[in-house]
Amino acid sequence: ISILDIFGFEHFEHNSFEQICINLANEQIQYFFNQHIFLLEQQEYAKEGVDWNEIVFVDNRPLLELFLAKSTGLFALLDEQSIFPRATDATYASKLEERFKTSPHYVANRNPNVPQFTIVHYAGKVHYHATGFLEKNRDSLPTGAVELFQASSNDLIHDIFMGSITRTGTLAVKSRKRKSGKMRSRRRKGEETFGRSRTATGRRGLTVSAQFKNSLNLLMEKMSLCTPHFVRCIKPNTGKTPGCFEDDFVLSQLRYTGMLETTRIRREGFAIRPSFEEFVSRFKSLAHLKIGANSTGCRRILTATGITGFHIGKTKVFLKYFHLDILAKQLERVHRAATVLQKVLRGHVSRKAN
C-alpha cells in the first residue's frame, strides 16, 4: 500500500514559481481522478454494452497542455527564456502574453509594466507574479562555488557536491574515501559531471521545471499501475477558524473537485464489476444449482438471491455498491447452515461409531 499526500491547491496574495508548480501537480492529479472516476468507467460501460446515460464532467486536459506542451507550453517557454542570458522575467511574461492571449485558460495582463499573468485553473483564477521565475528555474551555482565545495575537507560537503542530479531533481551521492592522487583525478572528473548536471542554462543541464515535469510523469506512471482510492480534504472556512462552516465556500470546493458528479456516478453507476468467472467462483453456492461460469450462470445466482438493478455485460457482472453487502450476508447465512449440517453429521457419525 502506498499513500500519496500532496499539497492542496495554493492561492495566496503573492503567488510565484513554487505555487505554479504545486498547482500544476494538483491539475495533474485532478486529471488522473477524472480519467479514473469518469472517463475510464464510462468507457467500460460502453464496451460491455451497459445501458448508461453519460455523466458530463469538466476535463482539464487543455489546461495541462497549456503548461506541458513540448515546444509551446508555459514551461517550455520558461526553459527557452532561461537559456538566454539577456532574458528577463518581463520578456518571459511578454512571451506568455503573445502565445496564450487567445486561450480561455489565460487572462491578459492589464499592467504591462509589471511581469505578471493569470491562469484559470480548475479551482479558479490564480494571479502569478513572474518576478524571480527565471532565476528559480535555472537554480544554478557559480562554477567557483561548486569547485570550492568539491575541494572541501568535510566529507559530507565533498560527497554532496561530487554527486549528480537525476532527471527528477534528486541528488545521487556516491561516498568515497579520498587518499591518493588517482582519487584526486577522479574528483576532477566528478567535478565536470556535477557541473554539467547543475548547469541549468547549458544544453546538457536540466532546469527545475524540466526536473519537476519528469518527476510528475514518473508519479503518474506509478499511479497508473495501481488501484487508486481517493480521499478529498475540504476546508470548512477561509479563516482557519474552529467551529465555523462556510456553506458557499464548501460548496464551491465540492463543485470544482467534481464531488457532485462523483456522487452521482457512484449512486447511478456500478461500482462492483467482477468477471463471470470471479463472480460464479465466489457466489455459486447461493444458486443451489450446478452452473457454469458464464452470463447465464451469473443471472441464475442473482435471480436466486432476489437482487434487482444489476446488469450483465459481455464479460462482467455490473453491480451496485450495496449489492455486495446483500450477497455477503446471504453467503454468510449459507456458510452458517453448512456449518450446522457438518456439526450434526459429524456428531451422528461419531455416535454411530461408538
Side-chain angles (χ1 to χ4, degrees):
I1 298 176
S2 299
I3 298 176
L4 172 64
D5 186 8
I6 191 171
F7 282 103
F9 191 82
E10 291 192 349
H11 186 190
F12 303 135
E13 291 185 7
H14 183 88
N15 301 286
S16 188
F17 182 66
E18 297 82 1
Q19 280 68 51
I20 204 169
C21 289
I22 291 173
N23 290 342
L24 172 59
N26 277 275
E27 289 283 356
Q28 188 71 71
I29 297 295
Q30 179 67 17
Y31 176 75
F32 179 82
F33 173 83
N34 289 340
Q35 292 289 304
H36 183 78
I37 297 296
F38 299 110
L39 186 61
L40 296 180
E41 184 164 334
Q42 295 188 99
Q43 284 179 350
E44 185 171 15
Y45 293 160
K47 179 182 177 181
E48 291 284 334
V50 177
D51 186 15
W52 174 257
N53 294 324
E54 184 177 358
I55 293 178
V56 179
F57 62 95
V58 179
D59 187 4
N60 65 333
R61 183 181 182 88
L63 184 57
L64 288 176
E65 292 176 350
L66 181 144
F67 272 96
L68 302 175
K70 287 187 176 181
S71 58
T72 58
L74 188 148
F75 273 15
L77 293 177
L78 179 60
D79 285 348
E80 179 185 273
Q81 290 292 296
S82 297
I83 294 174
F84 301 130
R86 294 185 180 182
T88 64
D89 299 319
T91 59
Y92 172 60
S94 64
K95 286 285 185 181
L96 295 182
E97 190 77 17
E98 178 183 343
R99 174 66 182 85
F100 301 118
K101 60 183 178 181
T102 59
S103 172
H105 302 289
Y106 181 88
V107 179
N109 181 17
R110 296 181 180 179
N111 187 357
N113 297 322
V114 180
Q116 57 190 6
F117 58 94
T118 301
I119 301 295
V120 183
H121 290 277
Y122 78 92
K125 295 181 180 179
V126 179
H127 185 71
Y128 295 101
H129 297 266
T131 303
F133 264 49
L134 295 187
E135 181 181 355
K136 292 176 180 179
N137 189 47
R138 289 170 180 145
D139 191 32
S140 58
L141 289 175
T143 304
V146 174
E147 294 175 349
L148 176 66
F149 287 123
Q150 288 177 335
S152 174
S153 59
N154 184 289
D155 289 339
L156 176 61
I157 294 177
H158 166 79
D159 291 339
I160 289 175
F161 282 86
M162 286 292 290
S164 59
I165 306 299
T166 68
R167 68 185 185 94
T168 58
T170 57
L171 177 64
V173 177
K174 294 183 179 179
S175 178
R176 291 181 293 189
K177 294 182 180 179
R178 298 166 291 161
K179 293 182 178 180
S180 63
K182 184 179 180 180
M183 196 76 248
R184 286 194 295 272
S185 66
R186 290 181 181 178
R187 264 174 45 192
R188 286 194 294 272
K189 184 178 180 181
E191 287 174 9
E192 295 172 0
T193 303
F194 186 88
R196 287 197 298 267
S197 64
R198 293 289 299 179
T199 304
T201 57
R203 292 183 179 180
R204 299 182 182 178
L206 285 177
T207 60
V208 174
S209 62
Q211 295 168 1
F212 182 78
K213 287 191 295 183
N214 290 335
S215 180
L216 199 57
N217 289 336
L218 182 61
L219 174 63
M220 291 300 106
E221 289 175 5
K222 291 181 177 180
M223 291 180 63
S224 64
L225 299 175
C226 302
T227 302
H229 299 270
F230 301 93
V231 178
R232 289 285 190 180
C233 298
I234 303 297
K235 296 179 181 178
N237 58 75
T238 55
K240 299 180 180 179
T241 306
C244 178
F245 193 87
E246 298 177 4
D247 294 353
D248 293 339
F249 180 61
V250 171
L251 182 59
S252 66
Q253 294 177 79
L254 293 175
R255 283 175 173 165
Y256 72 64
T257 56
M259 285 297 98
L260 301 181
E261 291 82 3
T262 303
T263 302
R264 181 183 170 192
I265 199 172
R266 282 291 170 259
R267 184 181 66 245
E268 299 179 5
F270 303 92
I272 313 299
R273 301 185 289 272
S275 65
F276 293 158
E277 294 79 8
E278 293 171 342
F279 185 78
V280 171
S281 175
R282 183 174 180 183
F283 299 109
K284 59 184 177 183
S285 59
L286 297 178
H288 308 295
L289 296 170
K290 187 176 180 180
I291 55 178
N294 49 42
S295 60
T296 303
C298 295
R299 191 178 298 277
R300 285 184 177 181
I301 294 173
L302 292 167
T303 302
T305 57
I307 289 178
T308 59
F310 62 87
H311 190 94
I312 303 296
K314 297 177 181 178
T315 62
K316 295 181 179 181
V317 181
F318 290 81
L319 305 170
K320 301 289 187 179
Y321 66 93
F322 55 86
H323 284 161
L324 190 61
D325 293 333
I326 298 173
L327 290 169
K329 289 179 180 179
Q330 296 198 20
L331 195 61
E332 183 181 358
R333 187 167 62 249
V334 170
H335 289 169
R336 284 201 304 266
T339 302
V340 172
L341 291 174
Q342 288 177 348
K343 179 184 68 173
V344 173
L345 180 59
R346 287 174 180 174
H348 172 73
V349 171
S350 178
R351 288 190 297 270
K352 189 177 180 179
N354 294 331

